[in-house]
Amino acid sequence: MYGVQIAFRDYNPIDGIWGSPWMGLRYFQQFLQSAQFWDLLKNTLTLSIYSLVAGFPFPIIFAILLNYLVFPHFRKASQMITYAPHFISTVVMCGMITIFLQQDGVVNHLLTLIHVTPVGFLSLPPYFKHIYVWSGVLQNMGFDSIIYIAVLASVPPELHEAAMIDGASKLQRIFHIDFPQLLPTIVILLIMNTGSIMNVGFEKVYLLQNDINLQVSEIISTYVYKIGLLGAQFSYSAAIGLFNNLINLVLLVVVNYVSGKISDTSLW
């Protein structure tokens, strides 16, 4: 918190934080009035909202499917296979994506075999957000489902036994037994994910960026890195980062308040 004041000063490493002149909200105004502001905000929100909408339901669905598997060995194998990608580093994951999707990559070789023209996936801007989001879904779906699997494991088996005696189908048991048990956890995780909606993963976006897709892949965090560390504009980049975090804080408070009013489930 001590270093936050850099955003309000013309920071000079030689003079230190306290020795740097106070600039007030100058850098915040500079960012809001810059030509890049709306493009950065649009790209950041597009990736984060797309990731949330596409990625949030899959761990829930996967956990429910695993819960109803009757073959324990197949269940364990499925869990292990889907957990493993989460532990692959971002650098390795991006390298794999590049190898698979580049012009002479694995995917284009397969397309050639079925007489389809190769596609330069990483060179076409419209493909960038889909590559980023769905590779993230595949990488994190298994690991993110752990908490839902734990909740489902705590559901009293007597509820399912009574429902089966009454003739309830699996789908009815999911909607009337499993989902109500999962709902408080879903709401809490949704609130937390919404509260970090502006924090798009910097490393993955930066590693998948190139000069061709830059118009859709440049987000606030990559911009902060470039002007802050590469451009040495410390105060300006700190102001942008603080602006980003303030938006997350406001979203977190609003979504938490709405959730508390609607479902009586909230973080505080």
Side-chain angles (χ1 to χ4, degrees), residues 115-174:
H115 306 290
V116 176
T117 304
V119 179
F121 294 99
L122 297 175
S123 302
L124 296 174
Y127 283 97
F128 177 83
K129 59 179 179 291
H130 303 299
I131 294 171
Y132 175 86
V133 170
W134 290 106
S135 62
V137 171
L138 291 174
Q139 185 177 10
N140 298 311
M141 178 183 68
F143 187 82
D144 291 345
S145 67
I146 292 176
I147 190 169
Y148 300 114
I149 294 173
V151 173
L152 292 173
S154 65
V155 176
E158 294 82 6
L159 294 177
H160 286 283
E161 292 170 1
M164 286 187 289
I165 291 173
D166 290 337
S169 64
K170 286 186 178 180
L171 196 59
Q172 290 173 321
R173 287 159 54 197
I174 290 172

